[in-house]
Amino acid sequence: MHTRYVIALVGDDRPGLVEKLSSVVAEHGGSWSESRMSVLAGQFAGVALVRVDPNQAAALERDLKELAGDRLQLSLRRADSTPREVRPHHAVCLELTGHDRPGLVHEITRVLRDRDVNIDDLVTERMSGAMSGGALFRAVAELQVPNDLPLEQLREDIEALANELMVDIHVRELVDE
């Protein structure tokens, strides 16, 4: 049995931040399970799931908190030992591309929330639209769609919104390989 932690870091980007974090985890015999890390506007932003022997948990917490300073914010949270109940669902990928404008993410996520769809992963980017002359926005999301919501119904709802927002949206079922 291990104690699991979700660690979130935000701070000025510089070489060695991930190494510092991984070093503290390793010093306590911990294992790195999952992570998502990126640089946004010169700021390093990352989240990691690590696990450690329960006898090392307090020392790991103490040493991780020492990493935080004026150039680095760290948030540490114990992960629930009992996973949340996962309702029956199917995995779906949503891809959106269109002219960037305020409110795009809000409009899409509102439709998903109204249909009780959970977002497992979301990656967004703003990029130059060389052919259009303006900025383009792109989003790719992995979704948990309740089994009682037919994919075709979700697709119709999303496509109606796409027409309203004047963006291209594609929805497809993810299949285990």
Side-chain angles (χ1 to χ4, degrees), residues 88-106:
H89 69 277
H90 49 280
V92 170
C93 178
L94 179 145
E95 297 179 50
L96 174 146
T97 305
H99 290 285
D100 187 31
R101 70 167 190 75
L104 273 177
V105 172
H106 176 255

Side-chain angles (χ1 to χ4, degrees), residues 6-127:
V6 174
I7 305 164
L9 291 169
V10 176
D12 295 338
D13 184 42
R14 60 190 179 277
L17 281 177
V18 176
E19 188 279 331
K20 280 184 180 182
L21 176 61
S22 64
S23 174
V24 172
V25 172
E27 285 172 15
H28 296 285
S31 294
W32 195 280
S33 297
E34 296 179 53
S35 63
R36 304 287 188 279
M37 300 185 177
S38 190
V39 175
L40 303 168
Q43 295 294 302
F44 172 84
V47 62
L49 173 65
V50 301
R51 62 185 193 277
V52 66
D53 184 280
N55 295 328
Q56 289 290 317
L60 176 68
E61 286 184 30
R62 181 195 66 235
D63 290 351
L64 284 173
K65 288 176 183 174
E66 287 178 10
L67 282 180
D70 61 329
R71 295 178 57 201
L72 184 65
Q73 295 175 349
L74 183 138
S75 175
L76 179 65
R77 185 174 186 113
R78 275 190 194 226
D80 223 3
S81 59
T82 56
R84 67 178 170 86
E85 184 179 325
V86 178
R87 65 200 167 147
H89 69 277
H90 49 280
V92 170
C93 178
L94 179 145
E95 297 179 50
L96 174 146
T97 305
H99 290 285
D100 187 31
R101 70 167 190 75
L104 273 177
V105 172
H106 176 255
E107 292 296 325
I108 295 296
T109 57
R110 182 184 49 79
V111 168
L112 297 174
R113 182 215 55 214
D114 289 349
R115 281 131 191 96
D116 206 25
V117 173
N118 193 46
I119 300 171
D120 267 352
D121 194 45
L122 174 64
V123 177
T124 65
E125 65 181 326
R126 188 174 189 264
M127 56 196 165

